[in-house]
Amino acid sequence: MNIILLGPPGAGKGTQAERLEKSHRMIQLSTGDMLRDEVTSESELGRQAKEIMASGELMPDDIVVQIVAEQLCRDECEFGFTLDGFPRTETQARALDGIMIDKGLKLHGVIEMKVDDDALTERITGRYSCAKCGAGYHDRFQRPKVEGVCDECGSTEFNRRADDNEEAVRHRLAAYHAVTEQILPFYREKGILRTVDGMATIDEVTKQIEDAIEQLQ
Ligand code: ADP
Ligand code: ADP
Ligand code: ZN
C-alpha cells in the first residue's frame, strides 16, 4: 500500500506516518526529514536548504524530486510507504507519477488531513521529538508516558525544530494554501483522494485513516 499524507504543517502527517509504520510496516518517507539530515551532515545541499527551510519557504522542485527519486522504495518498502511532506507542488505531483511508473509502483491513495489554521500554530509551537529515535511529541497533546523520557527508546534528550516558530509557520501556511492545496484536484480527478478530519484526536484520526486505507486497497 503506497499512500501520500497531504496536509498543512502541523496537521499530523508525521504522527500518523509513524503509526502506519508500526501497524502496517509502511515506510515513512518524509522529505522534511531527508532535508534536515542533509542540513545536519552539512552537505552542499544541506547548506542551501538550511536558510530556505528556516524561513519557511519551499525548496526548489528539482532538488526535492531528485531526493525522492533516489530514496523511493529501496528493498525495505515491501509493505509500501507513506509519503509525508511530498508532493507539495503540482510539478512535484507530476514528477512523482513519472518516478512511480519508472519503478513499477502504484500510488493507491492520497489522504488529505484537514486542520484549521488557528489550531496549527499551537500544534507546531508545542512540537518536539526524541533526539535519538525521532519519535514525535507535543507539550500538551502528546506527552511521553514518563515526563522527560521517550516512550520508544528511553532517551532523555529531545529536539525542537528551528523552523517551528510563529514567523516561519506563517510562511509555511501561506505556501500550503497558495501552492500545495492546488494539487488536490489533480488527485481528486484520479479518484484516489480521501479527506479525514485532522481536528479530531490523534487516535480518532488514525481510525479515519485506517478506514480510508481499507477503501483504497
Ligand atoms: P511540516 O512537518 O511542518 O509540514 P516538513 O518537515 O515537511 O514540515 O518540511 C520542512 C521544510 O522543508 C519546509 O518548510 C520546506 O522548506 C522544506 N520541504 C520539505 N518538503 C518539501 C517539498 N516537498 N518541497 C519543497 N520544500 C520542502
Ligand atoms: P506534520 O508532520 O503534519 O507537520 P506532526 O505529526 O509533527 O505534523 O504534528 C504536529 C504536532 O501536533 C506534534 O507535536 C503532534 O504531537 C501534535 N499532533 C498531531 N496530531 C494531532 C492531533 N490530531 N491532535 C492534537 N495534536 C496533534
Ligand atoms: Zn526515542
Side-chain angles (χ1 to χ4, degrees):
M1 188 84 184
N2 302 319
I3 64 161
I4 295 169
L5 290 181
L6 205 118
K13 304 180 295 295
T15 303
Q16 298 298 334
E18 218 181 282
R19 288 184 166 205
L20 288 172
E21 206 161 67
K22 280 198 196 129
S23 58
H24 294 259
R25 295 164 78 179
M26 290 161 66
I27 301 293
Q28 175 187 11
L29 295 168
S30 156
T31 43
D33 286 348
M34 294 170 197
L35 289 165
R36 277 184 290 278
D37 287 346
E38 295 287 339
V39 173
T40 306
S41 69
E42 297 184 340
S43 65
E44 181 53 39
L45 169 58
R47 273 190 283 275
Q48 291 173 38
K50 192 172 180 177
E51 222 170 289
I52 297 177
M53 291 174 79
S55 70
E57 306 293 334
L58 291 176
M59 289 288 288
D61 287 328
D62 53 343
I63 292 181
V64 183
V65 166
Q66 198 193 329
I67 296 182
V68 171
E70 281 165 12
Q71 302 259 339
L72 197 67
C73 266
R74 301 213 182 109
D75 306 339
E76 66 271 22
C77 285
E78 188 185 341
F79 299 98
F81 59 79
T82 306
L83 273 169
D84 157 12
F86 181 93
R88 264 173 153 97
T89 67
E90 196 172 328
T91 304
Q92 292 179 15
R94 291 182 189 280
L96 177 64
D97 275 359
I99 296 170
M100 300 288 282
I101 291 169
D102 285 351
K103 300 195 183 233
L105 296 167
K106 180 181 170 188
L107 179 64
H108 297 87
V110 178
I111 300 177
E112 179 199 8
M113 303 178 67
K114 256 198 147 94
V115 181
D116 300 344
D117 282 5
D118 292 346
L120 294 171
T121 308
E122 187 183 15
R123 285 205 191 166
I124 290 177
T125 51
R127 163 162 69 185
Y128 62 99
S129 62
C130 173
K132 195 166 159 211
C133 75
Y137 295 98
H138 191 280
D139 292 327
R140 277 188 59 198
F141 306 129
Q142 201 186 0
R143 303 169 70 106
K145 292 192 186 81
V146 178
E147 194 58 44
V149 181
C150 176
D151 294 343
E152 304 297 326
C153 75
S155 168
T156 53
E157 282 186 42
F158 297 89
N159 288 330
R160 282 177 198 264
R161 279 168 49 177
D163 60 341
D164 279 352
N165 58 70
E166 283 193 38
E167 167 77 14
V169 170
R170 257 197 306 278
H171 280 112
R172 283 151 67 197
L173 271 180
Y176 182 77
H177 291 307
V179 183
T180 308
E181 236 169 24
Q182 311 305 320
I183 64 182
L184 290 169
F186 177 75
Y187 290 119
R188 192 172 292 123
E189 276 159 29
K190 290 180 189 274
I192 57 170
L193 181 69
R194 300 288 181 278
T195 301
V196 300
D197 175 17
M199 294 294 286
T201 63
I202 296 176
D203 286 344
E204 180 53 38
V205 176
T206 302
K207 281 202 202 91
Q208 290 185 31
I209 291 175
E210 293 286 353
D211 288 348
I213 285 180
E214 194 79 14
Q215 286 175 22
L216 289 161
Q217 236 149 14

